[in-house]
Amino acid sequence: MAERERLDDLTVLGAAIWQELAAAVRQRDHPWRVATLATTSADGSADARSVVLRDLHAEERALVFYTDARSPKAQQITARPEGTLVLWSHALGWQLRLPVALEIETAGLKVSSRWARLRMTPGAQDYLSPLPPGTPVAHPVPERGTREFFAVVTARIRAVDWLELHAAGHRRARFDDDGARWLVP
């Protein structure tokens, strides 16, 4: 693998981060396509799981992913609508930590239009079970129901904490409402 040029200008770096996020929602094999979302469980402990990024609204600084409305994740988002997304790219040597405000929607135009695009794909099966996620079953694929459990989650990015792991030295930067600045890794 060729050595990637290191970006030293925070404006250029910020633009490159958003370009990579845009690529992640378009390219199925992008390393940031599957992110780790950490939320808070009912007992106050951290709960982390993978989510598939489906859309980016750069002007709103928001990422979109889907979930089953009956999942523990959905319950946690409803109870405490904040979390952190963590993304890693070995190829870039970049980690992003994104503190986010979370909003879950189970009805309305945004949900129905996304369901219309998803319902004929294999991914639709994730939202068609008549049983909630985590329910024990006798067979790997339970009976299927309707879309009533499909939910859209919007994660509004409050800040971007960027970390580069590099043989020449690790670097870290933060982008938020106060601007862009370098940090000690």
Side-chain angles (χ1 to χ4, degrees), residues 96-159:
L96 290 188
R97 287 186 307 146
L98 307 172
V100 292
L102 299 165
E103 177 186 359
I104 188 165
E105 296 177 75
T106 57
L109 182 58
K110 183 189 291 185
V111 176
S112 59
S113 64
R114 288 182 183 277
W115 179 253
R117 288 182 283 180
L118 180 68
R119 72 177 178 195
M120 300 311 279
T121 70
Q125 299 306 308
D126 296 338
Y127 312 101
L128 294 174
S129 172
L131 303 172
T135 302
V137 293
H139 303 284
V141 182
E143 170 187 338
R144 298 296 173 198
T146 66
R147 82 143 189 103
E148 66 185 289
F149 306 115
F150 176 71
V152 175
V153 179
T154 302
R156 297 196 191 291
I157 299 169
R158 294 181 172 159

Side-chain angles (χ1 to χ4, degrees), residues 65-82:
F65 58 90
Y66 306 149
T67 192
D68 185 303
R70 301 163 298 172
S71 69
K73 171 183 12 165
Q75 294 167 13
Q76 292 166 5
I77 291 169
T78 299
R80 190 170 181 181
E82 56 192 30

